[in-house]
Amino acid sequence: MAVEDECKLKFLELKSKRNYRFIIFRIDGQQVVVEKLGSPEESYDDFSNSLPANECRYAVFDFDFTTAENCQKSKIFFIAWSPDSSRVRMKMVYASSKDRFKRELDGIQVELQATDPSEMSFDIIKSRAL
């Protein structure tokens, strides 16, 4: 599975320049491509609503939060979205390519696997960040 250069470039922009709140990637043929870029103003709801209900995707989300000590922090989440309703073949392709793709994105801090929106609720994201 090839990874388009744009995937790595956009991830670096999210990580270093904070140009995006999230990036959604999809597998197109034999390569991973950028499907959607979320502007810094977009919320977690905008992000979760951008994931298709019955197709797999990879996503990166830049989560800002405040610690108990009142420090502003940020964690970059990698989310493997694999809804139960997606086709078996699609789930297999995404599952088998995930680690290779994730290695290309240097700077992932938290990984999450979700098959249902409840498995990646805002509360779960928040609890994994702390």
Side-chain angles (χ1 to χ4, degrees), residues 63 77 122-130:
F63 179 63
F77 278 75
F122 187 74
D123 291 337
I124 289 173
I125 294 290
K126 209 158 110 179
S127 72
R128 292 288 301 272
L130 300 172

Side-chain angles (χ1 to χ4, degrees), residues 3-129:
V3 177
E4 206 175 54
D5 285 342
E6 185 192 13
C7 296
K8 294 179 240 179
L9 292 170
K10 296 300 180 194
F11 177 75
L12 284 172
E13 288 178 30
L14 176 141
K15 186 172 87 168
S16 55
K17 299 182 187 155
R18 312 213 51 200
N19 288 3
Y20 311 108
R21 172 67 54 208
F22 63 85
I23 307 172
I24 296 176
F25 306 95
R26 68 183 164 84
I27 294 177
D28 188 14
Q30 286 298 306
Q31 66 176 353
V32 180
V33 297
V34 172
E35 180 175 78
K36 180 173 182 178
L37 298 166
S39 70
E41 300 76 47
E42 291 194 66
S43 70
Y44 188 74
D45 285 339
D46 296 326
F47 162 67
S48 54
N49 292 334
S50 299
L51 292 169
N54 54 6
E55 287 184 18
C56 301
R57 292 293 185 270
Y58 299 128
V60 172
F61 185 80
D62 186 7
F63 179 63
D64 293 325
F65 61 99
T66 307
T67 65
E69 296 80 39
N70 213 20
C71 294
Q72 284 296 108
K73 293 238 175 161
S74 151
K75 288 236 170 127
I76 298 175
F77 278 75
F78 178 86
I79 299 169
W81 172 244
S82 184
D84 289 329
S85 57
S86 58
R87 293 193 322 270
V88 173
R89 170 131 179 78
M90 181 183 275
K91 285 192 251 195
M92 287 169 56
V93 169
Y94 274 79
S96 63
S97 308
K98 180 183 78 171
D99 289 337
R100 160 125 176 47
F101 176 57
K102 208 175 75 179
R103 276 197 302 271
E104 299 282 341
L105 307 179
D106 185 37
I108 300 289
Q109 293 161 304
V110 184
E111 182 184 339
L112 200 65
Q113 172 83 38
T115 58
D116 179 80
S118 67
E119 293 177 3
M120 52 175 267
S121 68
F122 187 74
D123 291 337
I124 289 173
I125 294 290
K126 209 158 110 179
S127 72
R128 292 288 301 272

